[in-house]
Amino acid sequence: MPPLRRTLAAALLLAFVPAGFAATPTKHEALQAIRVLEKSLVGSEADEAARVIVTYADQSEDVLVDLGPDEVPWADEKWGLDKERELSCQSMLLAAFVAGDVRSQIKNDRAEDDTYSGWVFAIDAYNRLRAGGKFRSPSIESLSKMEADGTLLQHARDVQSKEQQAAPDEPQKKPLA
């Protein structure tokens, strides 16, 4: 994984993966955690669900989630919130992206990155988070517009193709780590 991608993933994961998490969550635990985030993105239960999802994606051999500036462009945005709130929202949107990607892979029983499903979940999470606070993510709004226009799926395919072309000789590994 290129250093920028590794740095981005590491920085965002720190918000959710506690040191010393004993065991990889099971597929069932990951699905339960995804259901929690489908219902709510705030509170301790949502925070714990986000930790489970991100840990599962990071440690499980059953899924492959690619993270980088093209997949999570909101990670570098400044939204005018206090630093803690901004990091919290960005981290929850990362967890939502991972949840959508993981859910698709579990449903299809195939460890194959699904950026599109990650974005769809992140767009929904963004809309729900914005209802509770005043901030704006130009990149997520752009993704949402593409979804409304019917072009988001092709954009996801283009991003995934670009990622595969950027590192054609790299051995298959878990980009989330």
Side-chain angles (χ1 to χ4, degrees):
M1 178 187 329
L4 175 62
R5 299 172 62 82
R6 187 174 296 127
T7 302
L8 173 67
L12 290 171
L13 286 174
L14 287 176
F16 286 114
V17 180
F21 198 127
T24 302
T26 65
K27 197 178 286 189
H28 177 72
E29 290 167 333
L31 288 171
Q32 284 181 315
I34 291 167
R35 283 191 286 278
V36 168
L37 291 189
E38 289 172 334
K39 293 177 186 171
S40 177
L41 299 165
V42 295
S44 60
E45 189 176 16
D47 290 345
E48 180 57 29
R51 280 186 200 89
V52 169
I53 293 162
V54 172
T55 301
Y56 177 78
D58 182 43
Q59 296 178 358
S60 175
E61 296 296 322
D62 295 336
V63 295
L64 175 68
V65 177
D66 199 7
L67 291 178
D70 290 332
E71 290 82 8
V72 289
W74 59 87
D76 289 332
E77 291 179 345
K78 300 297 179 212
W79 297 336
L81 301 171
D82 66 83
K83 189 175 180 177
E84 185 177 321
R85 175 84 172 122
E86 198 160 272
L87 178 60
S88 174
C89 287
Q90 288 173 337
S91 297
M92 188 55 75
L93 290 170
L94 167 74
F97 172 83
V98 173
D101 198 336
V102 165
R103 179 178 59 191
S104 171
Q105 293 179 58
I106 290 172
K107 177 183 174 190
N108 294 317
D109 197 27
R110 191 172 5 167
E112 185 176 290
D113 187 39
D114 186 351
T115 299
Y116 173 76
S117 293
W119 283 341
V120 169
F121 201 117
I123 290 166
D124 174 65
Y126 171 73
N127 290 329
R128 290 186 288 144
L129 283 173
R130 275 206 71 213
K134 297 188 189 245
F135 68 94
R136 184 178 169 273
S137 168
S139 60
I140 295 181
E141 290 182 8
S142 176
L143 294 172
S144 182
K145 183 178 181 326
M146 283 186 250
E147 177 67 356
D149 293 345
T151 60
L152 186 63
L153 180 59
Q154 185 58 50
H155 180 61
R157 289 177 179 152
D158 293 345
V159 166
Q160 287 179 271
S161 177
K162 178 181 160 187
E163 293 299 327
Q164 291 170 351
Q165 291 173 3
D169 297 331
E170 281 189 27
Q172 185 75 359
K173 56 183 164 186
K174 296 189 61 63
L176 186 60

